[in-house]
Amino acid sequence: MSVEFKQDFSAEYGIPEQMTKRVTRVLCNNPSPFTYTGTGTYLVGAENNLAVIDPGPFDTEHGEAILKAAGDRPITHIFVTHSHIDHSPLSAWLSEKTEAPIYAFGPHGTGRAGGLQEEEVEAGADKEFMPDHTITDSDTFSGTDWTLKAIHTPGHTANHMCFLLKEEKLMFVGDHVMGWATTVIAPPDGDVRKYIESLKKIAEEDVEKLIPTHGPWVENPKPFIRGIVTHRKMREGQILKCLEDGASTIDILVARMYKDVDKRLHPAAARSVFGHIIALVDEGRISCEGPPRLSSIYSLAG
């Protein structure tokens, strides 16, 4: 099956939305081709103490909206799914205001093995991010009426974490799964093969809905995830076919594969194609001179 994305999402900026008994969303006014309508910060808990997931970019107006949504309920935990500038920078400000510690897998690049040249690093990284507490796969955190299980899901970034709200069978998936578009896998921190492994990992959890940081929720996780895996395989098939037809650079591949996509997204698409190419080179299906780079010339192996 192919994945069906929804692009009918709407919400008011800065106005708290009660999504479930324990989940409130506050949308940040930072729309873009990469963030869709903006960063959705989530407050978890209905009583006494709250957890905040993905405070967002450094936008103090959004920070004040989060504090207003919390009201007289103290924020005791701040969780960050990963270190990109639309997810993590406000966490330090919010921690200072609330005295709540920040929890995440680690700073940007944590868990990445080996590497490409620094010139290949993606522009959206929050290199200043530093959590108060590093967390690992299956760590569990509790409040008065909530329990969050941390699930390490490398792929979009090496330090990406998802959080399962056990009481409601909801999973906060950051950018690992998005309901409105495919996730960008940008080397060197992104890894396509690990991304696929992580998708299968979250599909094994007892989850009824996925909650991305951007855009609409995913109502039927298992078939949606199967659709994403199918879509990724289709993209790799396109790459191989384009190379067979004479394309040799990532620019040419993107122009052919994404001809109907907003050209503002082509740089991100180039990085996603690059991620697939690295995996195909590692598997001996594509070749190039020297290590794979965005500027390399590629051909089918053999």
Side-chain angles (χ1 to χ4, degrees):
M1 65 170 290
S2 61
V3 63
E4 294 184 9
F5 295 112
K6 293 182 184 177
Q7 297 187 332
D8 57 355
F9 177 83
S10 63
E12 291 188 70
Y13 295 119
I15 304 299
E17 282 185 280
Q18 193 70 41
M19 307 300 292
T20 71
K21 178 182 177 181
R22 295 176 179 83
V23 177
T24 301
R25 176 172 61 202
V26 181
L27 185 63
C28 182
N29 189 2
N30 64 326
S32 77
F34 301 101
T35 62
Y36 195 39
T37 56
T39 296
T41 296
Y42 286 93
L43 287 72
V44 180
E47 306 169 6
N48 297 331
N49 62 324
L50 303 178
V52 170
I53 298 176
D54 279 353
F58 189 78
D59 179 333
T60 56
E61 184 176 347
H62 180 57
E64 295 295 345
I66 295 170
L67 295 175
K68 185 176 180 180
D72 58 2
R73 297 170 297 170
I75 294 170
T76 57
H77 297 69
I78 299 170
F79 295 100
V80 174
T81 61
H82 65 291
S83 51
H84 274 165
I85 57 175
D86 53 327
H87 292 255
S88 54
L90 192 65
S91 59
W93 180 92
L94 188 62
S95 178
E96 183 178 342
K97 293 290 184 180
T98 62
E99 298 185 355
I102 302 166
Y103 298 83
F105 186 79
H108 196 75
T110 308
R112 190 178 77 216
L116 305 166
Q117 299 299 316
E118 283 303 309
E119 68 182 30
E120 306 287 10
V121 173
E122 70 275 20
D126 178 8
K127 299 178 186 177
E128 304 301 317
F129 175 68
M130 182 64 66
D132 298 305
H133 301 288
T134 57
I135 59 182
T136 59
D137 192 55
S138 296
D139 282 353
T140 301
F141 305 87
S142 298
T144 303
D145 65 339
W146 55 266
T147 308
L148 289 170
K149 175 186 174 182
I151 302 168
H152 184 215
T153 50
H156 176 62
T157 63
N159 66 352
H160 198 288
M161 299 290 286
C162 294
F163 298 96
L164 171 62
L165 176 58
K166 291 187 174 182
E167 288 80 2
E168 297 188 2
K169 296 184 179 181
L170 304 175
M171 188 182 294
F172 299 90
V173 291
D175 284 354
H176 193 68
V177 177
M178 296 191 292
W180 68 283
T182 54
T183 296
V184 174
I185 311 297
D189 207 46
D191 186 301
V192 170
R193 291 295 179 258
K194 287 184 178 179
Y195 178 72
I196 298 297
E197 291 171 7
S198 296
L199 283 174
K200 295 176 180 177
K201 182 178 181 179
I202 64 174
E204 294 171 354
E205 296 287 341
D206 184 14
V207 178
E208 294 181 357
K209 295 179 183 179
L210 304 180
I211 306 178
T213 298
H214 309 286
W217 293 14
V218 175
E219 301 289 336
N220 297 298
K222 284 180 171 52
F224 193 85
I225 288 171
R226 286 196 297 270
I228 293 174
V229 173
T230 298
H231 181 82
R232 291 288 173 180
K233 290 179 179 177
M234 178 271 292
R235 284 299 189 202
E236 291 194 356
Q238 282 185 300
I239 291 169
L240 295 170
K241 183 64 169 63
C242 287
L243 290 173
E244 183 181 351
D245 292 343
S248 58
T249 66
I250 289 176
D251 285 347
I252 295 173
L253 289 167
V254 169
R256 292 186 186 181
M257 294 167 59
Y258 295 86
K259 60 183 178 181
D260 297 324
V261 174
D262 185 340
K263 285 185 168 50
R264 292 176 297 173
L265 295 174
H266 280 198
R271 289 195 170 277
S272 275
V273 169
F274 186 38
H276 282 288
I277 282 178
I278 290 170
L280 292 168
V281 168
D282 288 345
E283 293 166 359
R285 300 168 70 187
I286 288 178
S287 62
C288 65
E289 290 188 11
R293 305 182 68 87
L294 281 165
S295 57
S296 296
I297 296 176
Y298 298 94
S299 62
L300 294 177

